[in-house]
């Protein structure tokens, strides 16, 4: 898409993008994807949840379009929702957890915009994982909190995911 070219939500929803893109107020925005450490972490995080879905009563999806407002669709790297998962193709209600895996090309400003969308949408747990620095953060309206012990936790204590389980050494 050219800079400044606006399209309708309907056009966005009926146009295939490879890789898929976010839709922000009429603009189609590319996402940073395709690096080995990012792909490994994203797959392993999803697998970690799949292996525990019966116990946790949670279901994970990778790169699922999530409508965070009437004019915005984001595509979190991993979305985790309560059982039973909604049967809609694009989530329209806040999931339990959104996880973003950082890429080398990500900027803090662009990442914060994405996280703010999740928080305004009402997602109760938002994580950022950096597979290059082996670090993770829980994000709230009050800011970023580092997982100093290397374990990602949800606010309610339901999930404790060790980063060592999902990142390349």
């Amino acid at each position: 898409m050219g800079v400044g070219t606006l399209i309708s939500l309907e056009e966005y929803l009926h146009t295939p993008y490879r890789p898929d893109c976010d839709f922000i107020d009429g603009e189609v925005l590319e996402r940073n994807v395709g690096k080995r450490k990012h792909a490994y972490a994203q797959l392993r995080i999803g697998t970690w949840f799949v292996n525990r879905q019966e116990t946790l009563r949670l279901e994970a999806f990778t790169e699922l379009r999530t409508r965070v407002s009437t004019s915005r669709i984001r595509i979190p790297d991993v979305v985790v929702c309560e059982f039973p998962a909604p049967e809609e193709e694009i989530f329209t209600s806040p999931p339990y957890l959104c996880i973003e895996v950082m890429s080398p090309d990500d900027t803090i400003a662009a990442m914060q915009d994405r996280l703010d969308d999740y928080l305004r949408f009402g997602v109760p747990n938002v994580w950022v994982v950096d597979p290059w620095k082996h670090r993770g953060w829980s994000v709230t309206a009050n800011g970023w909190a580092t997982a100093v012990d290397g374990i990602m936790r949800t606010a309610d204590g339901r999930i404790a995911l060790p980063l060592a389980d999902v990142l390349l050494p």
Side-chain angles (χ1 to χ4, degrees), residues 62-116:
T62 58
E63 299 181 13
L64 180 67
R65 288 179 174 183
T66 302
R67 189 168 185 171
V68 296
S69 76
T70 57
S71 64
R72 291 176 175 243
I73 295 179
R74 293 290 190 175
I75 305 165
D77 288 316
V78 181
V79 173
V80 180
C81 62
E82 303 274 353
F83 260 15
E87 295 202 18
E88 54 196 1
E89 290 300 315
I90 299 170
F91 279 2
T92 58
S93 58
Y96 174 75
L97 169 65
C98 285
I99 304 169
E100 288 296 334
V101 179
M102 294 188 77
S103 293
D105 297 330
D106 284 332
T107 66
I108 294 297
M111 180 63 73
Q112 189 65 57
D113 288 345
R114 172 179 296 283
L115 304 174
D116 288 343

Side-chain angles (χ1 to χ4, degrees), residues 9-61:
L9 176 62
E10 205 57 35
E11 184 178 347
Y12 165 80
L13 293 174
H14 290 94
T15 304
Y17 299 97
R18 302 231 182 333
D20 206 352
C21 297
D22 289 335
F23 178 81
I24 306 299
D25 303 324
E27 290 187 70
V28 176
L29 299 179
E30 292 182 4
R31 299 165 36 248
N32 294 322
V33 297
K35 302 281 198 266
R36 180 174 179 260
K37 287 183 179 184
H38 179 282
Y40 183 92
Q42 183 177 351
L43 176 65
R44 294 294 296 255
I45 291 168
T47 301
W48 191 93
F49 280 100
V50 167
N51 290 339
R52 292 159 181 80
Q53 72 182 15
E54 294 301 323
T55 303
L56 294 173
R57 305 295 299 154
L58 297 169
E59 190 162 4
F61 298 87

Side-chain angles (χ1 to χ4, degrees), residues 103-154:
S103 293
D105 297 330
D106 284 332
T107 66
I108 294 297
M111 180 63 73
Q112 189 65 57
D113 288 345
R114 172 179 296 283
L115 304 174
D116 288 343
D117 279 346
Y118 300 148
L119 294 170
R120 277 192 297 271
F121 184 46
V123 178
N125 299 285
V126 178
W127 292 351
V128 176
V129 174
D130 183 341
W132 281 267
K133 300 287 187 184
H134 288 254
R135 297 180 73 184
W137 299 267
S138 293
V139 182
T140 67
N142 294 323
W144 296 41
T146 303
V148 292
D149 61 357
I151 299 175
M152 301 299 299
R153 292 181 176 84
T154 52

